[in-house]
Amino acid sequence: MERRRRESENLGRDVEGAAHEALGQAIRAGRTLNLPTPSDVRAYGANLAQARRTETKRAGSSARPIPRPASADTLPTQRPIGQTKGAPVAPPARRTTSLDRNPYAIAAAGQAAQMAGNVGGVIRGAFHTAEGLASGAMFLGRITNPYDRLMSAPGQSAGDQVLGAGKSVADYTKRALANPQIVVDDVRNGAHQLRVDLDSAATPTGQTVREEVDHRLGIGANQGELAWNVGSLAIGGPEINALTGSVPRRS
């Protein structure tokens, strides 16, 4: 009698626990279980408990699966000899050659890269100017088109862009008058960025030939584009580039 009473109490707890667990999962998943009365909750829990017991019996009677051989993905990762668990792994050493240990070779490679960058920069400047001329002609056509406002997204018509640019200038002027230090800081930052973009001595020399080549190539390209802009003053090259946002910024 006592044994049956304990089994009945255990069954009741299992049924209640299964029902509450199912309700919690349904709430977290955003679903609704139609269990309006306590008897419905108990009946639902009893069905869940019975299904779990049946599944447990099936799992116990089924044959044990044959273990699969461990694959490369499941094998534990072997630590290098002498490395303790949790110790940080040192970054791989930089690959260098005999030229990388010769400062004269690094300087010569950097100078050659800068000269090549000059040529590339002139070509880039010409491309930006041509791109600016095309964009300028398109913008002029839009601003003289009475239907541009109707064909453009709200705030994106040519007239809106002109008004927006004028508003930005007016806002900056207002802030500069209220705090002249803004202009000083902007001029200082602009001069510093210009030196970084054009002067190889403003940034550290590369530690390898490849690093120095990448470093000086970008600076040479900036110098070449600046030379093109100065040479194209007659046709308004710098103004066209500034209008279209084509500003050299690679170092």
Side-chain angles (χ1 to χ4, degrees):
M1 231 12 224
E2 181 65 21
R3 179 180 176 184
R4 291 184 177 179
R5 185 182 64 80
R6 288 197 301 270
E7 291 178 350
S8 178
E9 291 177 354
N10 292 336
L11 179 61
R13 284 194 293 269
D14 291 342
V15 169
E16 183 179 358
H20 283 291
E21 182 180 352
L23 284 172
Q25 292 176 353
I27 292 173
R28 288 190 294 271
R31 294 183 287 104
T32 303
L33 295 178
N34 187 18
L35 304 174
T37 64
S39 60
D40 293 332
V41 175
R42 287 193 295 270
Y44 185 74
N47 291 334
L48 289 177
Q50 180 62 33
R52 290 180 180 178
R53 287 195 296 271
T54 303
E55 186 65 26
T56 302
K57 290 180 180 179
R58 290 178 180 175
S61 61
S62 61
R64 173 178 289 181
I66 300 175
R68 293 180 300 174
S71 63
D73 295 334
T74 59
L75 290 175
T77 304
Q78 183 179 5
R79 296 192 304 272
I81 297 175
Q83 179 181 333
T84 58
K85 184 177 181 180
V89 179
R94 179 188 282 117
R95 294 183 178 179
T96 60
T97 64
S98 58
L99 293 177
D100 295 326
R101 293 187 290 272
N102 188 332
Y104 297 103
I106 294 177
Q111 184 63 31
Q114 184 167 330
M115 294 174 63
N118 290 154
V119 178
V122 171
I123 297 173
R124 188 173 70 183
F127 174 79
H128 284 164
T129 299
E131 185 181 41
L133 287 171
S135 298
M138 184 180 298
F139 186 81
L140 182 62
R142 288 182 57 197
I143 204 169
T144 57
N145 183 1
Y147 301 104
D148 179 65
R149 185 179 295 273
L150 299 176
M151 295 185 297
S152 303
Q156 297 299 317
S157 67
D160 291 333
Q161 293 180 29
V162 171
L163 291 176
K167 185 177 182 299
S168 298
V169 172
D171 290 342
Y172 182 84
T173 303
K174 183 179 179 180
R175 289 189 293 111
L177 291 175
N179 183 14
Q181 186 63 34
I182 293 177
V183 180
V184 176
D185 293 340
D186 287 346
V187 171
R188 182 190 300 117
N189 294 336
H192 171 73
Q193 186 61 54
L194 184 64
R195 182 167 181 263
V196 169
D197 288 342
L198 300 174
D199 186 2
S200 60
T203 48
T205 303
Q207 298 183 11
T208 64
V209 170
R210 180 169 183 175
E211 289 179 0
E212 182 65 5
V213 166
D214 291 340
H215 172 227
R216 300 284 289 273
L217 189 65
I219 290 176
N222 291 338
Q223 293 174 345
E225 185 163 4
L226 177 63
W228 169 268
N229 290 338
V230 172
S232 62
L233 283 173
I235 62 172
E239 291 79 7
I240 293 172
N241 290 345
L243 179 64
T244 58
S246 302
V247 180
R249 277 294 178 266
R250 181 188 173 189
S251 57

